[in-house]
Amino acid sequence: MNDSAEITRQAKSNLAFALQILPKDRRDGMVTFYAFCRVVDDLADDPEQPLEEREAALLAWKQGLENGFPEPDSLQAEVVALIERHSIPVNLLTAIIDGCLMDLRSQRFGTWEDLSQYTYKVACAVGLASLKVFGAEDPASEKYAVALGHALQLTNILRDVGEDLANGVRIYLPLADLARFQYTERDLIGRVYDGRFVAMMNYQAERAESLYNEAVAAKPKSDAKALVPAEIMRSIYQTLLAKMKRDGFKVFDRRYSLSKARKMAIFSKHFLRLGPAV
């Protein structure tokens, strides 16, 4: 088993799950791309490695993608080959790295507009690069990928509020939105769970739902089969968002997820409706 396949196998993520529907050649390409995303994300989050070393490793990836790797390891060689095979713009992969570099140091986002610049790097750029591997050809699919990327990452942010506080007191919720509900950064760090918090989280959920709807409206029929894996992701995360909302966003003391059976039901629905992508 090559490095990228092993990384994807161990991750057991929703994306890795969704990739099962792809034909082998495109699935192999996405396994390589996912492994790249996983490796750079783990570099940003590894607390056992000194920050300076993580930053240097991320910058080495970025410089290698832009200028060539002097002595590429097996994953780097796979990623370079993937870029060439599917004509993936390098700036999409370096944008992902830039997003990971942002995660190295605790920061705050004043508004949704500020946060969306981050979510573009860590999620929308992933979607836009994935379009190339999926074989999507309609330019409208790019609008779909951007809206879906923002929605998926915002859902992740809502799910991970408690974990992000524990991991370097990271706060991704826009501070202007906290202020809108008279809920402070100090309240969030103190894990104050009350009506203000729930109202603020519902406000974020409405934004995410609006973005999911924007993605659905933008999805071109001509790329319907190619976008099946993305639609599986959308269904999983929209279902997860609805689950959190029904439960009142108790994200300080639990990590929400869907059962494998629930995800299989979503997978089967899309498989039966559209069939495997070609």
Side-chain angles (χ1 to χ4, degrees):
M1 183 178 292
N2 61 28
D3 289 349
S4 59
E6 178 64 13
I7 290 167
T8 303
R9 185 188 68 79
Q10 291 181 1
K12 299 180 181 179
S13 74
N14 288 323
L15 178 58
F17 180 87
L19 296 182
Q20 297 176 57
I21 205 167
L22 288 169
K24 187 179 185 307
D25 58 336
R26 296 194 183 279
R27 183 170 66 246
D28 289 348
M30 281 303 299
V31 164
T32 295
F33 180 54
Y34 176 81
F36 159 75
C37 294
R38 183 77 268 161
V39 164
V40 295
D41 187 61
D42 287 347
L43 280 171
D45 289 340
D46 184 0
E48 297 182 4
Q49 190 173 357
L51 184 147
E52 293 76 13
E53 292 182 11
R54 287 182 278 156
E55 184 173 39
L58 286 168
L59 289 173
W61 261 103
K62 184 175 181 179
Q63 292 163 5
L65 289 171
E66 291 175 335
N67 305 310
F69 294 97
E71 296 181 5
D73 61 28
S74 60
L75 178 58
Q76 289 166 346
E78 284 183 52
V79 171
V80 170
L82 178 72
I83 290 170
E84 294 173 350
R85 184 163 63 251
H86 294 287
S87 301
I88 302 172
V90 170
N91 69 315
L92 293 177
L93 275 69
T94 57
I96 296 167
I97 294 172
D98 286 339
C100 293
L101 286 165
M102 292 174 70
D103 280 332
L104 289 178
R105 294 171 175 82
S106 180
Q107 59 188 309
R108 300 293 184 263
F109 300 93
T111 65
W112 163 246
E113 288 68 29
D114 297 330
L115 177 60
S116 66
Q117 295 178 43
Y118 166 79
T119 57
Y120 179 89
K121 292 182 174 70
V122 298
C124 303
V126 172
L128 290 169
S130 297
L131 292 180
K132 298 290 189 178
V133 187
F134 291 161
E137 297 178 349
D138 193 315
S141 289
E142 295 185 3
K143 184 176 180 182
Y144 165 86
V146 170
L148 182 59
H150 286 309
L152 295 175
Q153 191 62 30
L154 182 53
T155 303
N156 271 336
I157 287 169
L158 299 183
R159 180 194 63 192
D160 296 343
V161 166
E163 291 183 19
D164 287 331
L165 288 172
N167 185 16
V169 197
R170 294 181 180 179
I171 295 176
Y172 294 94
L173 297 167
L175 299 183
D177 292 344
L178 269 65
R180 176 189 291 266
F181 294 93
Q182 299 181 328
Y183 188 85
T184 67
E185 183 177 336
R186 183 174 180 178
D187 290 329
L188 189 63
I189 294 171
R191 298 171 181 259
V192 175
Y193 182 86
D194 58 13
R196 296 171 302 158
F197 176 76
V198 175
M200 184 270 297
M201 293 290 278
N202 275 312
Y203 180 77
Q204 303 301 328
E206 289 174 6
R207 174 179 283 138
E209 281 291 351
S210 177
L211 288 162
Y212 283 122
N213 292 338
E214 183 181 333
V216 170
K219 186 183 68 170
K221 291 182 179 179
S222 59
D223 277 342
K225 285 186 177 292
L227 295 176
V228 170
E231 280 294 281
I232 292 173
M233 288 285 289
R234 180 182 63 78
S235 294
I236 289 173
Y237 276 83
Q238 273 196 281
T239 303
L240 180 64
L241 181 64
K243 181 178 182 178
M244 292 191 289
K245 188 173 183 178
R246 284 195 306 272
D247 197 43
F249 293 100
K250 297 183 177 69
V251 293
F252 290 131
D253 55 13
R254 70 188 61 172
R255 178 183 174 84
Y256 289 93
S257 62
L258 301 186
S259 68
K260 186 172 183 179
R262 186 72 183 91
K263 289 192 284 189
M264 278 303 300
I266 291 171
F267 181 95
S268 299
K269 179 187 72 174
H270 287 282
F271 182 85
L272 292 172
R273 180 182 298 171
L274 299 172
V278 295

